[in-house]
Amino acid sequence: MTSFIDKKYINLCSSKLERFAWKKQNLANCRCPICGDSRKNKSKARGFFYEKQNNFFYRCFNCGFGANIYNFLKEVYPSLCKEYALEQFKSGKTNNVEKTEMIFSKPKFKPKHNLLKPLLCVKDAPDNHIVRQFVEMRKIPKKYWDVLYFTDDFGSYMQLVYPDVTRMVPEPRLVIPFFNKKDEVVAVQGRSLTMQGEANARQTARYITVKADKSIDRLWYGMWRANPKKVVYVVEGPIDSLFVPNTVAMVGAGAIEKIPDRFKDTEMVFCLDNEPRNPHIVNYVEKLIEMGKSVCIWPDSLTEKDINDMIYRMSASEIKKMIDKNTFSGLEAKLRFNQWRKV
């Protein structure tokens, strides 16, 4: 009942909220009436109404204002606030109004909970949902479905993660969160969804990465999941890292210039994509060899571009064996590299 009343009063004041829209049944978005949102960009909308434990709350990711609906109305629409309190009283929820006012006058949000709240977790998606069909088509192991998410409007979600990012056309995407050692979300990567066959999905795939924590120079996916006391395999894409045990992904090959302190004394094997005709990949592999790193030089018989392509015809253990068999360093790596490269 509380949720119903909250939503009713959100709708009652929605006509006075700029760019107000329900994104989902339990998530609405608008320009913040407290701070006015961006003065330079009138398209920015960084105020959100969201449901938690059968109550709705408001949060602005520009000014930081947060409150339950009672306090929101009290601050913005006092006349509606009185009506809201009366209706809550009639429903027997007067204590709830008082308590939530006291508790949420200065709310504290953990980044992990805050940034994942508007998303649908893949493990909770129904069988016929597009994201569920996508992860099954890509053969992503079920044990990782609880750390993968979905949004039907990645453009709005990007602004929730980092308010100053350029707005994009709304589109559904798989959302891959990056966590720090405190299990907080520091960045997200959105992967476009295509269900027109595996080959076409691979050709049209596109990734967009947004940092919530701009102090992080380079992103490494799965870093805190990997055991630094064992061999750590390094690939280019987060999805590729979900198949071979103890694998991490570096976002942007430029990350090779600075290895995280966590892996300072770790044996690492770099497995860049199998693209011998791509000058950027070829240059990165060559640089790794010059740095004295161990690299996987894929065999000439391999036609697939990356591990997720390989998983369609090989098991994860077979892929790992192939990587170990074709890992080289030093002079041998240079000889194998010169045979592999096609540019």
Side-chain angles (χ1 to χ4, degrees), residues 237-285:
I239 290 181
D240 287 330
S241 73
L242 301 178
F243 299 97
V244 176
N246 221 43
T247 297
V248 299
M250 54 181 181
V251 177
I256 63 176
E257 297 175 0
K258 186 177 180 180
I259 304 299
D261 291 339
R262 178 174 171 79
F263 302 134
K264 183 178 179 181
D265 300 316
T266 300
E267 181 182 353
M268 305 183 79
V269 175
F270 289 82
C271 312
L272 273 63
D273 289 351
N274 182 33
E275 296 188 82
R277 299 184 186 280
N278 184 324
H280 296 291
I281 299 298
V282 170
N283 289 338
Y284 284 134
V285 175

Side-chain angles (χ1 to χ4, degrees), residues 6-273:
D6 286 351
K7 195 167 186 178
K8 172 183 175 181
Y9 279 83
I10 293 172
N11 285 326
L12 284 174
C13 67
S14 64
S15 62
K16 299 181 180 181
L17 299 174
E18 292 184 68
R19 300 187 66 83
F20 178 89
W22 284 100
K23 300 300 182 180
K24 291 193 288 189
Q25 187 175 0
N26 60 353
L27 180 70
N29 177 224
C30 67
R31 284 174 62 79
C32 180
I34 303 295
C35 66
D37 229 302
S38 173
R39 295 182 180 181
K40 295 181 180 179
N41 189 341
K42 297 300 182 181
S43 67
K44 286 188 181 295
R46 294 174 282 191
F48 287 84
F49 295 94
Y50 65 94
E51 186 180 18
K52 183 178 181 180
Q53 297 179 349
N54 203 34
N55 291 280
F56 272 87
F57 301 92
Y58 175 81
R59 172 73 167 173
C60 173
F61 290 88
N62 183 45
C63 65
F65 175 82
N68 64 348
I69 300 306
Y70 177 83
N71 286 323
F72 174 81
L73 295 173
K74 185 178 180 180
E75 185 73 25
V76 181
Y77 304 111
S79 59
L80 278 180
C81 177
K82 295 178 181 179
E83 294 179 19
Y84 173 84
L86 179 61
E87 191 158 346
Q88 287 282 25
F89 175 80
K90 291 179 180 179
S91 69
K93 297 294 183 180
T94 51
N95 290 334
N96 181 62
V97 172
E98 294 172 358
K99 289 179 180 179
T100 52
E101 179 182 1
M102 176 184 67
I103 295 172
F104 288 93
S105 57
K106 292 183 179 180
K108 294 181 180 180
F109 290 82
K110 290 184 178 180
K112 175 182 177 181
H113 298 161
N114 189 36
L115 295 180
L116 298 183
K117 180 67 179 179
L119 304 174
L120 171 67
C121 186
V122 170
K123 70 178 179 61
D124 297 325
D127 292 344
N128 62 347
H129 195 284
I130 184 174
V131 75
R132 181 69 172 270
Q133 294 175 359
F134 180 81
V135 297
E136 290 179 347
M137 183 265 290
R138 295 296 300 273
K139 297 187 180 296
I140 296 174
K142 289 186 177 181
K143 65 180 180 179
Y144 294 118
W145 287 10
D146 63 345
V147 292
L148 298 174
Y149 295 81
F150 169 81
T151 177
D152 56 4
D153 184 356
F154 191 72
S156 294
Y157 184 66
M158 283 172 60
Q159 291 192 311
L160 177 62
V161 176
Y162 185 63
D164 292 332
V165 73
T166 303
R167 190 178 181 87
M168 59 178 280
V169 176
E171 65 172 339
R173 281 182 178 263
L174 174 72
V175 179
I176 306 170
F178 289 68
F179 300 97
N180 62 15
K181 62 181 179 181
K182 295 181 180 179
D183 207 27
E184 298 168 334
V185 175
V186 295
V188 296
Q189 187 175 85
R191 202 264 190 213
S192 61
L193 301 174
T194 304
M195 299 303 298
Q196 300 174 354
E198 296 170 7
N200 190 54
R202 298 299 297 157
Q203 292 173 3
T204 60
R206 191 162 63 94
Y207 293 88
I208 298 177
T209 305
V210 185
K211 294 180 184 178
D213 184 351
K214 290 296 178 179
S215 66
I216 299 176
D217 184 33
R218 299 293 183 183
L219 290 172
W220 289 71
Y221 180 76
M223 178 168 63
W224 303 102
R225 184 176 63 237
N227 184 350
K229 295 182 179 180
K230 297 181 179 180
V231 175
V232 172
Y233 299 91
V234 183
V235 296
E236 291 187 59
I239 290 181
D240 287 330
S241 73
L242 301 178
F243 299 97
V244 176
N246 221 43
T247 297
V248 299
M250 54 181 181
V251 177
I256 63 176
E257 297 175 0
K258 186 177 180 180
I259 304 299
D261 291 339
R262 178 174 171 79
F263 302 134
K264 183 178 179 181
D265 300 316
T266 300
E267 181 182 353
M268 305 183 79
V269 175
F270 289 82
C271 312
L272 273 63
D273 289 351

